[in-house]
Amino acid sequence: PLIKELFGLTELEEMLRRRLGLRRVIIVTGDADQSEWVKKEMGRAGARLLREEARPGQVVAVAGGTTVAAVAEMMAPSPQLKETTFVPARGGLGEAVELEANYIASLMAKKTGGSYRLMHVPDQLSEETYRTVIREPHIREVLELLKTARIAVHGIGGAMEMAARRKSSPELLRHLRETDAVGEAFGYYFNRRGEIVHKMKTVGIQLDDLQRMERIISVAGGASKADAIAAFCAVACRDTLITDEGAARAILASE
Ligand code: BG6
């Protein structure tokens, strides 16, 4: 707490909380764009929060990406989380396996002593396949479990970065450019005003599902993600944001 005071982080947290209309904001020192270590600190803050917020028998929905992976890495065996089931928030979104929600959910379970479920669904489904896949008993079971999730933990990405990382088609890249997409979360792409400009067809948590959850823990930092974070918070996140000083100052400096 003392270090936060020295850097004025407590003040920043309150300013950002008000600006984005959130319940709670946690800011770590530094800028993840500048140093990997800052992402690890966000991970540490996320791991601590998950431990503090844990309730017996809960389901935690887990999204993918390097930042949520950092949260998983920082988790440790804990009696509070031993009775938690970690469930991937969505199927594969066409990223490296270590960045997929499936893998990260299993890692969280392994680190804490909790349990996990997997969702084996391919990336970017056609309408027809989608309808078949969600009727599969195994998938249905995981989707039902997801509906009971108490907490969601997820990252927020830059729109163009995420589209490139998912090797999206030139058409989609063009569409995102034309619609001024700035951010992405849960397979939804947003413009600066927080309007959804594109949505990937994947199995799992939809934006509306977040309404039912008790806690939504969004973890994202780095000044380059300022617009992405602000855009997502304009629509969907009303709860907890874990970010870094770089992103916080950039959001507060923008109009
Ligand atoms: C992805 C999520 O895996 O991670 C996205 O599906 C999110 O919704 C992204 O935007 C964030 O990734 P990172 O690596 O910047 O934390």
Side-chain angles (χ1 to χ4, degrees):
L2 183 62
I3 292 175
K4 279 197 179 178
E5 291 298 343
L6 283 177
F7 287 88
L9 285 192
T10 306
E11 218 179 340
L12 269 189
E13 284 173 343
E14 180 54 18
M15 282 158 71
L16 193 62
R17 191 189 69 74
R18 285 183 190 215
R19 171 70 168 262
L20 298 176
L22 304 179
R23 191 182 62 85
R24 183 170 182 197
V25 170
I26 298 169
I27 301 177
V28 306
T29 323
D31 184 333
D33 290 346
Q34 313 291 331
S35 135
E36 263 307 299
W37 169 85
V38 177
K39 196 175 274 181
K40 292 203 170 79
E41 285 307 308
M42 286 192 281
R44 195 188 305 278
R48 187 186 312 125
L49 190 65
L50 276 170
R51 195 178 57 236
E52 284 167 10
E53 295 280 356
R55 299 283 178 280
Q58 68 177 1
V59 170
V60 173
V62 181
T66 57
T67 321
V68 178
V71 175
E73 288 294 347
M74 289 296 177
M75 295 177 99
S78 106
Q80 296 96 312
L81 286 163
K82 236 172 61 197
E83 290 169 55
T84 292
T85 307
F86 296 93
V87 183
R90 305 183 68 90
L93 288 168
E95 298 183 44
V97 153
E98 322 79 71
L99 301 184
E100 272 191 12
N102 270 313
Y103 173 74
I104 299 176
S106 72
L107 186 60
M108 285 187 176
K110 190 175 137 205
K111 293 267 186 183
T112 56
S115 47
Y116 68 97
R117 302 299 301 271
L118 292 178
M119 188 147 53
H120 296 294
V121 267
D123 178 37
Q124 316 201 24
L125 303 168
S126 68
E127 192 61 45
E128 199 190 338
T129 319
Y130 175 82
R131 269 187 264 120
T132 315
V133 160
I134 57 173
R135 281 201 302 267
E136 280 295 318
H138 156 77
I139 304 292
R140 273 174 87 142
E141 206 187 304
V142 181
L143 289 176
E144 286 303 315
L145 205 56
L146 264 186
K147 283 201 187 119
T148 68
R150 202 186 140 247
I151 299 181
V153 48
H154 75 97
I156 304 168
M160 299 318 286
E161 288 79 1
M162 287 311 300
R165 199 157 98 188
R166 289 170 180 155
K167 301 186 180 57
S168 305
S169 68
E171 291 75 37
L172 178 58
L173 292 177
R174 190 173 338 110
H175 172 73
L176 293 175
R177 255 194 308 274
E178 282 168 5
T179 52
D180 292 322
V182 293
E184 188 279 347
F186 293 107
Y188 292 76
Y189 288 83
F190 305 93
N191 67 15
R192 211 171 283 276
R193 288 186 298 281
E195 294 157 349
I196 297 164
V197 296
H198 178 72
K199 172 188 182 309
M200 294 174 77
K201 188 135 209 91
T202 45
V203 178
I205 288 207
Q206 310 297 313
L207 231 41
D208 288 344
D209 296 327
L210 296 179
Q211 310 288 340
R212 284 197 294 271
M213 299 200 188
E214 239 174 278
R215 288 280 171 272
I216 305 161
I217 305 176
S218 314
V219 201
S224 63
K225 281 193 185 180
D227 287 345
I229 295 168
F232 179 73
C233 290
V235 254
C237 92
R238 288 278 163 268
D239 198 61
T240 308
L241 172 68
I242 299 176
T243 189
D244 63 16
E245 216 182 330
R249 292 197 192 278
I251 295 169
L252 290 167
S254 70
E255 275 311 297

